[in-house]
């Protein structure tokens, strides 16, 4: 397929704001795409060349892109930068450059979808010395032949900022509308995506095998999946009143880890579908030795352990291991882990998700050879006695864990959903998980750091983030520096000393109280917000909603 067809579609998507219209445009495109190209087209529509869970990164920053544009168009880099500053979008900058430089482009070689897809995938595999030059070559090769509009989207795709507003919901509806009929279509797609979170593959299955095919999607060992999630309960009593008896487990303060095994091969995935196998050779080793089946998937929580005291470490310490790409063996020694297993999803070729939790627990006991303190079952009791459960809760808190998970013994394993099968119980005025949507440059010695952050809650009606506060405490010097590095590539607008950033970074925030606010878009303001911890395990779609802020405000007893 010619890339120009895709560029036209992007432009159409950009021009309309109605979700329905966008869905229609995409459904038409998918219908007319040959099956062999469908997975690629679906990924490109998302602005990707790898599924969302892939570890591959294109690794091209704005600076390198400006050089590539300069090379391809003959403009000086400073000129490109000037255009970038004016539009805030290197896509538009390159488009302008090409338009004003080239009088005619009819003699040029046509750019195909394969050309773009191929070169972009190659970008991710280039490492080591001379990699910058090699990357530049791959990008300029595309831009030299691209028409202005094509260049706009090639550049934006490489910078992972496509700006056409075709989110996952729209994509899901478009695939359904292109290939499926009947009222089971939406559920079938959602089910399949939880097990196989790759829209390209899902579109292919929908086209070739329909609803049946999607319903028959099996977990694939070696691929991530959307784990089961919990709901918050106000009290132990509330859950007991509803369900009678529960399996109560300690709620550990660590990292969710899905362990997948086939023979000697082990894969580790987080709740956000990241592959963390390389970062945790210690867990790999334990899993290889102590999971008995040839093939299985188990679910648990990994906690960092303080070498001196044996106590659990704060999550932030463990997250250093998640982010580490080098000196991994050193980290293994510095921050030892403990894996607490609590569920099993499949054993050999048998899926266990429709078995009750009580049955799955029995299977889990059979397939794991525990190593106390290292690779063990989550601490649990089965009880219907409120006092006994309260004691167990106190025990968990004393052991510096977060609280309890109360699980319904009859519940099935439900992928990717907050269900009434699992409840979490945590103490106090709840912290809020919020997105950073803006920031301000510091003063004096801190002038090169972004030091205060605008916090946003999610508005489920519009899909936007609205301001609920400004946070500038709770970070160490090092964290300010790190946060600045993280936020800089996300800046979309700069005015004086303040910037607006794309809502990608999620932070857990503590605060003293919630007040009504006439100045903030949300109508509420957090008093004295401070960083509790970074939440690299959460995405913007998991940020707390305005409704939740309002509920918490009301629960302070001062509504109205
Ligand atoms: P939250 O992050 O507060 O929404 O709580 C849900 C998270 O608690 C899960 O994703 C797990 O990472 C973690 N967790 C800790 N212990 C358990 C447990 N025993 N069962 C399930 N999840 C647990």
């Amino acid at each position: 397929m010619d890339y120009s067809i895709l560029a036209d579609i992007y432009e159409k998507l950009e021009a309309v704001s109605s979700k329905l219209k966008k869905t229609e445009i995409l459904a038409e495109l998918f219908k007319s795409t040959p099956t062999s190209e469908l997975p690629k087209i679906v990924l490109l529509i998302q602005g990707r060349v790898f599924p969302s869970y892939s570890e591959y990164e294109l690794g091209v920053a704005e600076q390198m892109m400006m050089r590539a544009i300069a090379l391809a168009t003959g403009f000086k880099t400073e000129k490109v930068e000037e255009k970038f500053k004016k539009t805030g979008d290197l896509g538009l900058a390159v488009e302008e450059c090409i338009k004003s430089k080239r009088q005619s482009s009819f003699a040029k070689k046509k750019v195909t979808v394969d050309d773009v897809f191929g070169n972009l995938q190659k970008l991710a595999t280039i490492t080591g010395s001379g990699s910058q030059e090699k990357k530049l070559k791959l990008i300029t090769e595309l831009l030299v032949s691209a028409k202005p509009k094509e260049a706009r989207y090639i550049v934006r795709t490489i910078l992972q900022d496509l700006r056409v507003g075709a989110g996952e919901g729209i994509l899901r509806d478009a695939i359904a509308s292109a290939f499926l009929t009947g009222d089971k279509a939406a559920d079938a797609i959602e089910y399949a995506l939880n097990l196989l979170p790759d829209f390209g593959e899902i579109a292919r299955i929908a086209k070739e095998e329909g609803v049946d095919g999607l319903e028959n999607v099996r977990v694939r060992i070696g691929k991530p999946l959307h784990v089961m999630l919990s709901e918050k309960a106000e009290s132990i009593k509330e859950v007991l009143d509803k369900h009678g008896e529960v399996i109560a487990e300690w709620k550990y303060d660590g990292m969710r880890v899905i362990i997948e095994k086939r023979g000697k091969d082990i894969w580790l995935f987080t709740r956000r579908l990241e592959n963390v196998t390389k970062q945790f050779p210690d867990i790999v080793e334990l899993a290889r030795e102590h999971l008995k089946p040839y093939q299985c998937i188990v679910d648990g929580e990994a906690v960092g352990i303080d070498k001196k005291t044996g106590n659990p470490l704060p999550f932030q310490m463990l997250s250093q291991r998640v982010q580490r790409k080098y000196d991994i063996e050193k980290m293994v020694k510095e921050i030892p882990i403990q894996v607490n297993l609590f569920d099993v999803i499949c054993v050999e070729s048998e899926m266990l998700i429709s078995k009750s939790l009580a049955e799955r627990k029995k299977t889990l006991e059979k397939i794991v050879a525990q190593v106390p303190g290292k690779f063990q079952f989550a601490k649990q009791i089965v009880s219907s006695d409120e006092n006994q459960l309260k004691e167990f809760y106190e025990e968990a808190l004393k052991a510096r864990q977060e609280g309890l998970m109360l699980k319904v013994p009859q519940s099935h394993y439900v992928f990717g959903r907050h269900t009434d099968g699992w409840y979490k119980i945590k103490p106090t005025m709840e912290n809020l998980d919020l997105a950073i949507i803006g920031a301000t440059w510091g003063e004096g010695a801190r002038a090169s750091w972004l030091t205060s952050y605008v916090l946003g809650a999610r508005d489920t009606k519009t899909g936007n983030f609205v301001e609920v506060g400004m946070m500038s405490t709770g970070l160490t010097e090092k964290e300010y520096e790190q946060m600045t590095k993280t936020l800089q590539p996300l800046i979309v607008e700069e005015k004086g000393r303040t910037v607006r950033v794309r809502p990608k970074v999620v932070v857990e925030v503590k605060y003293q109280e919630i007040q009504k606010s006439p100045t903030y878009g949300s109508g509420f303001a957090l008093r004295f917000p401070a960083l509790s911890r970074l939440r690299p395990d959460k995405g913007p779609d998991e940020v707390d909603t305005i409704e939740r802020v309002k509920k918490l405000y009301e629960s302070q007893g001062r509504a109205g």
Side-chain angles (χ1 to χ4, degrees):
M1 189 190 283
D2 286 346
Y3 189 72
S4 63
I5 298 179
L6 203 55
D8 287 341
I9 297 281
Y10 287 138
E11 191 174 46
K12 275 195 205 162
L13 289 172
E14 218 180 325
V16 296
S17 56
S18 137
K19 284 190 174 175
L20 212 64
K21 265 257 133 338
K22 285 183 195 263
T23 309
E24 275 171 24
I25 295 169
L26 286 179
E28 277 313 306
L29 169 73
F30 296 163
K31 267 194 249 174
S32 62
T33 303
T35 312
S36 61
E37 286 196 295
L38 192 58
K40 279 184 199 170
I41 294 290
V42 173
L43 281 176
L44 284 171
I45 283 295
Q46 292 178 280
R48 303 178 183 285
V49 288
F50 297 103
S52 55
Y53 59 76
S54 166
E55 299 147 84
Y56 284 116
E57 282 168 21
L58 303 191
V60 178
E62 279 160 357
Q63 216 56 39
M64 188 198 287
M65 185 55 89
M66 284 192 257
R67 274 183 67 201
I69 296 173
L71 278 173
T73 60
F75 274 90
K76 287 216 164 68
T77 314
E78 297 76 46
K79 202 83 198 147
V80 178
E81 189 165 0
E82 211 174 276
K83 287 185 188 293
F84 175 40
K85 283 226 167 104
K86 218 172 65 201
T87 54
D89 174 2
L90 273 173
L92 291 179
V94 71
E95 188 172 11
E96 256 188 46
C97 289
I98 296 181
K99 265 190 197 154
S100 61
K101 260 278 141 79
R102 290 196 211 131
Q103 294 313 313
S104 71
S105 55
F106 54 82
K108 295 261 156 345
K109 166 182 166 288
K110 272 192 177 163
V111 180
T112 65
V113 165
D114 278 343
D115 294 334
V116 176
F117 201 83
N119 276 23
L120 265 52
Q121 280 210 331
K122 268 189 229 152
L123 282 178
T125 57
I126 296 174
T127 52
S129 76
S131 61
Q132 297 272 323
E133 295 310 311
K134 285 182 202 151
K135 285 186 177 186
L136 268 178
K137 189 162 168 272
L138 283 172
I139 303 170
T140 36
E141 201 174 278
L142 289 174
L143 295 183
V144 160
S145 309
K147 298 198 186 77
K149 195 199 300 176
E150 294 172 346
R152 180 201 313 171
Y153 295 109
I154 291 172
V155 165
R156 286 188 188 169
T157 304
I158 296 174
L159 293 175
Q160 296 176 324
D161 189 16
L162 193 56
R163 306 184 184 198
V164 300
E168 297 199 342
I170 291 175
L171 219 53
R172 217 177 282 197
D173 291 349
I175 294 171
S177 145
F179 305 122
L180 305 173
T181 48
D183 24 318
K184 288 204 283 182
D187 282 349
I189 290 193
E190 193 188 328
Y191 169 81
L193 271 171
N194 280 329
L195 273 70
L196 178 62
D198 175 349
F199 275 92
E201 267 300 288
I202 294 296
R204 189 193 56 73
I205 297 170
K207 180 172 183 190
E208 291 191 317
E209 301 167 44
V211 168
D212 283 352
L214 292 170
E215 285 179 343
N216 279 323
V217 164
R218 290 271 166 273
V219 287
R220 303 183 182 192
I221 304 255
K223 296 269 156 53
L225 42 82
H226 285 283
V227 294
M228 180 158 175
L229 299 168
S230 62
E231 261 184 55
K232 186 179 178 306
E234 295 308 323
S235 66
I236 293 173
K237 184 167 181 305
E238 179 194 313
V239 183
L240 286 181
D241 284 349
K242 197 160 171 199
H243 296 286
E245 188 180 65
V246 292
I247 298 177
E249 295 163 359
W250 279 15
K251 184 178 191 308
Y252 295 90
D253 187 10
M255 169 189 82
R256 185 76 171 264
V257 62
I258 289 283
I259 306 178
E260 308 195 352
K261 173 175 191 268
R262 186 193 292 125
K264 292 250 170 280
D265 292 326
I266 305 287
W267 292 264
L268 308 176
F269 295 104
T270 66
R271 151 180 176 164
R272 296 205 51 212
L273 315 180
E274 293 149 314
N275 184 338
V276 290
T277 315
K278 284 201 198 97
Q279 292 94 311
F280 292 94
D282 39 357
I283 303 184
V284 168
E285 191 64 32
L286 286 163
R288 200 178 276 141
E289 295 293 318
H290 302 285
L291 290 176
K292 297 180 202 165
Y294 175 76
Q295 189 166 289
C296 65
I297 300 181
V298 293
D299 191 355
E301 182 90 352
V303 186
I305 299 292
D306 187 326
K307 274 193 301 191
K308 286 200 194 101
T309 61
N311 286 330
L313 287 168
F315 172 76
Q316 251 145 318
M317 299 292 287
L318 180 68
S319 88
Q320 285 182 24
R321 284 202 54 181
V322 178
Q323 276 140 29
R324 194 53 92 91
K325 302 249 158 70
Y326 54 92
D327 273 349
I328 289 185
E329 285 304 330
K330 194 170 144 225
M331 290 302 273
V332 168
K333 291 210 182 80
E334 265 172 33
I335 306 177
I337 43 83
Q338 170 188 89
V339 179
N340 301 285
L341 299 168
F342 47 75
D343 219 317
V344 50
I345 291 165
C346 70
V347 173
E348 307 304 0
S349 55
E350 193 192 0
M351 284 278 267
L352 300 171
I353 55 172
S354 308
K355 299 251 193 267
S356 70
L357 174 63
E359 279 178 89
R360 297 200 304 278
K361 289 269 184 193
K362 278 190 202 145
T363 306
L364 188 66
E365 273 168 32
K366 282 195 207 130
I367 64 163
V368 180
Q370 289 193 84
V371 184
K374 281 266 145 209
F375 196 69
Q376 60 190 12
F377 300 131
K379 254 190 200 294
Q380 73 164 61
I381 58 169
V382 182
S383 177
S384 53
D385 177 353
E386 192 185 346
N387 286 332
Q388 192 188 6
L389 288 163
K390 274 187 180 157
E391 260 172 45
F392 192 52
Y393 177 55
E394 291 303 325
E395 220 180 89
L397 295 180
K398 230 184 254 156
R400 303 192 189 184
Q401 301 298 351
E402 262 192 283
L404 288 188
M405 298 292 294
L406 302 181
K407 302 183 177 177
V408 179
Q410 300 80 20
S411 61
H412 295 173
Y413 195 99
V414 187
F415 292 108
R417 289 247 188 102
H418 296 271
T419 68
D420 57 1
W422 291 8
Y423 298 91
K424 59 182 171 195
I425 302 271
K426 293 202 268 187
T428 67
M429 187 81 191
E430 280 272 314
N431 288 348
L432 284 166
D433 291 329
L434 299 167
I436 295 184
I437 56 176
T440 309
W441 292 105
E443 284 173 347
R446 293 175 165 187
S448 57
W449 299 341
L450 291 164
T451 50
S452 33
Y453 311 104
V454 183
L455 302 167
R458 206 151 45 88
D459 183 343
T460 42
K461 288 197 196 89
T462 62
N464 294 332
F465 289 82
V466 279
E467 226 170 306
V468 290
M470 189 86 173
M471 173 182 82
S472 45
T473 45
L475 280 81
T476 61
E477 305 264 294
K478 231 180 159 174
E479 282 172 333
Y480 279 127
E481 193 179 341
Q482 187 54 44
M483 183 65 91
T484 306
K485 274 196 196 136
T486 312
L487 291 177
Q488 252 170 332
L490 304 175
I491 294 176
V492 288
E493 195 180 72
E494 198 149 5
K495 262 194 209 141
R497 286 177 41 242
T498 66
V499 299
R500 213 159 53 77
V501 298
R502 267 186 283 142
K504 283 260 162 88
V505 179
V506 182
V507 285
E508 192 178 305
V509 175
K510 47 190 180 191
Y511 52 90
Q512 274 192 4
E513 63 173 346
I514 302 174
Q515 300 174 316
K516 280 224 158 169
S517 159
T519 46
Y520 285 148
S522 63
F524 296 99
L526 303 183
R527 200 162 130 83
F528 302 132
L531 180 77
S532 167
R533 58 175 172 156
L534 302 169
R535 293 299 307 241
D537 60 322
K538 290 205 170 178
D541 52 345
E542 288 177 286
V543 161
D544 279 312
T545 58
I546 279 297
E547 284 85 337
R548 181 152 162 63
V549 175
K550 181 161 184 256
K551 244 185 164 172
L552 286 170
Y553 170 77
E554 283 165 357
S555 73
Q556 296 175 157
R558 301 193 299 104

